[in-house]
Every structure is written in C-alpha cells, then in structure tokens.
Amino acid sequence: MERKFNIYYDDNAKRLRAEVDKILSKFGGISDKDKDDFYSLANEIFARALKRYDDSQPFDAFLYSCLSNGIKTEMTRRNRQKRKADRMAVSIDTPVGDDGDYTIKDVIADSFNMETAVFGEENADTVKIAKYLDRLSKRQRRVAALLAASYKAGEIMDMLNITKKEYADAINGMRSYENISVLF
C-alpha cells in the first residue's frame, strides 16, 4: 500500500473507523457490538476498494462511497432478517388442533390451573373460591362449570350458544388478575 492509503490504518485504523462512525451516525441505535461488526466489514470494503480504485476520483470520496454502499446494504440485510422473524411470529390466540377448538394459550403448560384451584383441590379455601365465583359473570360461571366437567371449548360454545369471541372473552375474564387475585 502506498503512503496515501496507509493513513487509514495509522493509529489502529482510526481514520477508517471515523469514516464508518460518520456513516453509522445517520442510522442511530447502533450498539458497540454492531459497530465492531461494521468496522470488520469496513476492513473488507477497504481491501476491495484498493483493488478497484482507478485514480479517476479522489480516493477519500471513492472509499466513502464504497463504505456507505456496503454499510447500507448490510443494514438492509439485517432489517430484512428482523422483518422475516416478525412474519413468522404467531399469536397466542391462534387456533390449534384438528377441530380448532383450542388456542395456543389453552395448550401452553402453566403451573397454575384455575379450574383445579376452583373446583378440584381438596384443601382449597372455600371463602376464596366463593369470592372468586362471586366476581364472575353468569356466563363465566357457566363456562367454568362446564370446563370443570371436562367439556371442550367447542362443546361449551355449542351448549351455551356463544361465539368463539364470547367464549374467549369469558375465559379471559375468568383468568384476569382482578378475578384470580382473590385465590392467592
């Protein structure tokens, strides 16, 4: 490398890092780890720029253009990966199973089982259970009783002649902190 190119690597690539920092400042929210990744990328871009440089313009402008394009391309790639992950996200209210009667929320393992606490625990505090049941609406109490009798969600909706949304609202109300807090 000629001396005019060595200035980018004097003092541990200080000038090259300064150019990268100038470009990254336009993006914001870049962590130190990400900056290290971009400094490494800048080294690769610098090496390619040296091979492609043809003296038709000042090297500083040529290098800045190469760095800017390379960093923007990498930012785009990273953002695409983030968006791709978001598209793969699934709602906890997504129906599952052959008949779609359950949601993911219904099948996630949980150490607290409200139905057992209310209806099946031998040493349950009856005062707490009575308070809990008093807080429930008439529909919520009917849903709770049918759940305790081992009916499936679809069967309960048919028996009570309610929609999936009404069933979900009843379950959410039964599981709300306001209602279950009396059981603790």
Side-chain angles (χ1 to χ4, degrees):
M1 276 194 286
E2 294 178 33
R3 178 67 195 143
K4 66 181 180 181
F5 302 123
N6 284 342
I7 61 172
Y8 286 95
Y9 278 93
D10 290 345
D11 294 328
N12 194 22
K14 185 177 180 180
R15 186 163 176 193
L16 186 61
R17 286 176 179 251
E19 293 295 320
V20 171
D21 288 339
K22 190 181 343 176
I23 295 167
L24 292 177
S25 69
K26 295 176 184 176
F27 292 99
I30 307 292
S31 70
D32 288 340
K33 181 192 173 297
D34 288 334
K35 281 186 179 181
D36 287 342
D37 291 345
F38 284 108
Y39 294 148
S40 295
L41 176 64
N43 286 320
E44 295 171 18
I45 293 170
F46 182 79
R48 287 193 304 261
L50 284 175
K51 291 178 185 175
R52 292 182 34 223
Y53 181 62
D54 62 4
D55 280 334
S56 64
Q57 61 180 314
F59 182 74
D60 291 344
F62 177 72
L63 178 62
Y64 186 84
S65 174
C66 291
L67 288 171
S68 181
N69 289 336
I71 289 172
K72 286 177 186 175
T73 300
E74 177 62 14
M75 283 289 196
T76 301
R77 187 190 67 75
R78 288 178 180 211
N79 286 333
R80 268 195 197 120
Q81 285 180 323
K82 289 177 188 175
R83 287 192 304 271
K84 186 177 180 181
D86 286 346
R87 280 184 263 144
M88 295 172 66
V90 178
S91 169
I92 196 163
D93 294 318
T94 302
V96 294
D98 295 337
D99 53 5
D101 285 344
Y102 296 102
T103 64
I104 293 174
K105 179 176 28 178
D106 294 330
V107 296
I108 292 176
D110 187 359
S111 63
F112 178 76
N113 185 326
M114 179 184 61
E115 292 84 4
T116 303
V118 174
F119 299 108
E121 209 166 274
E122 294 178 17
N123 298 324
D125 186 346
T126 55
V127 174
K128 288 181 181 180
I129 292 173
K131 282 184 183 179
Y132 170 76
L133 291 172
D134 285 342
R135 289 176 176 234
L136 299 181
S137 69
K138 185 177 179 180
R139 176 179 287 155
Q140 289 169 342
R141 281 193 294 271
R142 286 168 43 225
V143 168
L146 292 170
L147 284 171
S150 299
Y151 285 99
K152 293 182 178 180
E155 296 170 325
I156 294 171
M157 288 185 283
D158 288 341
M159 292 170 75
L160 298 179
N161 196 26
I162 60 175
T163 66
K164 283 185 179 183
K165 177 159 181 11
E166 290 170 324
Y167 175 79
D169 289 345
I171 294 293
N172 288 337
M174 292 164 53
R175 292 180 177 167
S176 73
Y177 179 78
E178 179 183 313
N179 285 334
I180 65 170
S181 63
V182 297
L183 297 173
F184 301 129

